[in-house]
Amino acid sequence: MLTKKEQRLRRARQTRIRIATQGVARLTVNRTNLHIYASVISDDGSRVLACASTAEAEVRSSLGGAGKGANVAAAAIVGKRIAEKAKAAGIEKVAFDRAGFAYHGRVKALADAAREAGLQF
């Protein structure tokens, strides 16, 4: 019997196989109990082109203190920030990799904010 984490990683592996055939950069999301992280990874998977998270000092100060990085509002800030960094790096189109997490709550808020900021996926 698979654990919850093993099930999530299995789903993530299937998604990454499908994304690899597309040949575009990948916007990957990771969430923990305290923070949410987003990275734009090159199409061959060798380099991280842009990253943003609630663990960054600038984001933490805008959230208003410790312990505020695990909510939908914080995820929206990270989504907007990753879109700005990706566009600055010359990336307009990405494939969204939710890393096996369900597409609701913080993951959905990050994706919607990134779309609104101009990232296409």
Side-chain angles (χ1 to χ4, degrees), residues 24-74:
V24 294
R26 170 168 60 107
L27 171 61
T28 184
V29 175
N30 186 28
R31 66 176 174 80
T32 64
N33 288 338
L34 295 177
H35 297 289
I36 189 159
Y37 305 87
S39 302
V40 176
I41 300 172
S42 65
D43 54 351
D44 59 354
S46 63
R47 293 180 297 138
V48 175
L49 305 172
C51 61
S53 73
T54 54
E56 295 175 354
E58 296 170 5
V59 176
R60 278 200 328 253
S61 65
S62 69
L63 291 174
K68 305 277 191 207
N71 56 27
V72 173

Side-chain angles (χ1 to χ4, degrees), residues 52-113:
S53 73
T54 54
E56 295 175 354
E58 296 170 5
V59 176
R60 278 200 328 253
S61 65
S62 69
L63 291 174
K68 305 277 191 207
N71 56 27
V72 173
I77 291 171
V78 172
K80 183 176 183 233
R81 191 168 169 86
I82 192 68
E84 291 169 355
K85 287 184 176 184
K87 289 179 84 172
I91 299 163
E92 296 290 328
K93 188 171 181 178
V94 295
F96 187 65
D97 179 6
R98 58 188 174 85
F101 293 110
Y103 187 78
H104 70 88
R106 291 188 282 161
V107 175
K108 184 174 189 252
L110 189 143
D112 290 342

